[in-house]
Amino acid sequence: QVQLQESGPGLVKPSETLSLTCTVTGGSVSSYYWTWIRQPPGRGLEWIGYIYNTGSTIYNPSLKSRVTISIDTSKNQFSLKLSSVTAADTAVYYCAREVNELFDYWGQGTLVTVSS
Amino acid sequence: DIVMTQSPDSLAVSLGERATINCKSSPSVLYSSNKQNYLAWFQHKPGQPPKLLISWASTRESGVPDRFSGSGSGTDFTLTISSLQAEDVAIYYCQQYYNTPRTFGQGTKVEI
């Protein structure tokens, strides 16, 4: 059974960089696409972007200038960095696997609050 | 970006009754070469990640009760819960995977 677990600081100061890691167990990040999705409080789901095992990435144009997704196949992890954060970036951040265009496995999500 | 619009935003249904959620895409998510609709439905309960219920507009995922069904093509889609159970209280999202960025509807809250 594939499992994903997000980790990282739950509080980030405005203008700083949000950094999260997703650890995958029961499967390998050397296959499929690995995705970050977020949900601001009281709002809907927003796709941030994904990475393939080759390191190729596609980002949401709305966030592209601030987002970096990377992958570490040796640790079976992938990561998200979002720079210059504001209160609007406060959200539950999910990592997920995309197989045949479908998000089939998700992490439990982690709340990141942007506040001084 | 493909815009996904759901209706209604919320609905209250009695136990055992039918719940119907609509989703409209702009533009179409029907891929002409393979006649497939790149449309999924998710169920999202508080404190849990979204759960994939239906893919390709009408294919129920393994383990999903058969009271859940999806229909539609092109730009107009429907998720139907034929006989609402207490455990179905959740927010439901449609999502297109026709292209990137992947986009979701705003969600429909289903209550008893």
Side-chain angles (χ1 to χ4, degrees):
Chain A
Q1 177 80 347
V2 176
Q3 293 186 317
L4 293 82
Q5 180 65 57
E6 305 88 352
S7 59
L11 181 64
V12 181
K13 289 182 168 53
S15 79
E16 296 190 343
T17 296
L18 177 160
S19 296
L20 295 175
T21 295
C22 183
T23 300
V24 179
T25 56
S28 172
V29 298
S30 295
S31 300
Y32 309 124
Y33 290 83
W34 302 93
T35 301
W36 289 97
I37 293 165
R38 70 180 184 178
Q39 183 174 34
R43 300 187 63 184
L45 297 160
E46 180 180 32
W47 181 81
I48 298 171
Y50 64 42
I51 189 165
Y52 191 55
N53 67 332
T54 58
S56 64
T57 54
I58 295 183
Y59 301 135
N60 193 322
S62 67
L63 298 168
K64 187 176 181 179
S65 63
R66 299 193 291 130
V67 171
T68 302
I69 298 176
S70 59
I71 196 165
D72 187 336
T73 55
S74 67
K75 294 182 179 179
N76 222 36
Q77 295 175 333
F78 62 106
S79 299
L80 169 70
K81 290 189 186 299
L82 182 65
S83 64
S84 305
V85 297
T86 69
D89 295 309
T90 294
V92 174
Y93 285 77
Y94 295 99
C95 58
R97 186 179 81 166
E98 182 175 309
V99 177
N100 297 328
E101 287 97 7
L102 299 171
F103 302 131
D104 61 349
Y105 288 100
W106 297 62
Q108 282 297 117
T110 186
L111 174 63
V112 179
T113 301
V114 178
S115 175
S116 55
Chain B
D1 298 5
I2 295 178
V3 177
M4 310 298 291
T5 305
Q6 292 181 228
S7 62
D9 289 335
S10 65
L11 75 162
V13 178
S14 300
L15 288 173
E17 296 299 305
R18 178 184 300 261
T20 301
I21 301 168
N22 300 301
C23 174
K24 185 179 288 286
S25 69
S26 179
S28 169
V29 296
L30 173 63
Y31 196 42
S32 56
S33 64
N34 61 8
K35 305 299 184 191
Q36 291 277 14
N37 289 285
Y38 285 60
L39 187 286
W41 288 97
F42 288 86
Q43 176 191 64
H44 195 190
K45 297 180 179 180
Q48 298 182 22
K51 176 186 176 182
L52 178 62
L53 296 177
I54 288 173
S55 59
W56 308 108
S58 60
T59 301
R60 199 180 306 115
E61 294 298 300
S62 175
V64 174
D66 60 8
R67 63 181 180 272
F68 291 92
S69 63
S71 62
S73 184
T75 61
D76 293 279
F77 302 91
T78 300
L79 174 69
T80 300
I81 310 173
S82 61
S83 176
L84 192 77
Q85 304 301 302
E87 61 266 31
D88 301 334
V89 169
I91 298 176
Y92 292 84
Y93 293 93
C94 59
Q95 179 243 326
Q96 65 80 18
Y97 45 98
Y98 184 91
N99 62 12
T100 59
R102 308 294 192 222
T103 49
F104 295 83
Q106 80 277 18
T108 295
K109 187 174 186 178
V110 174
E111 301 171 299
I112 303 291

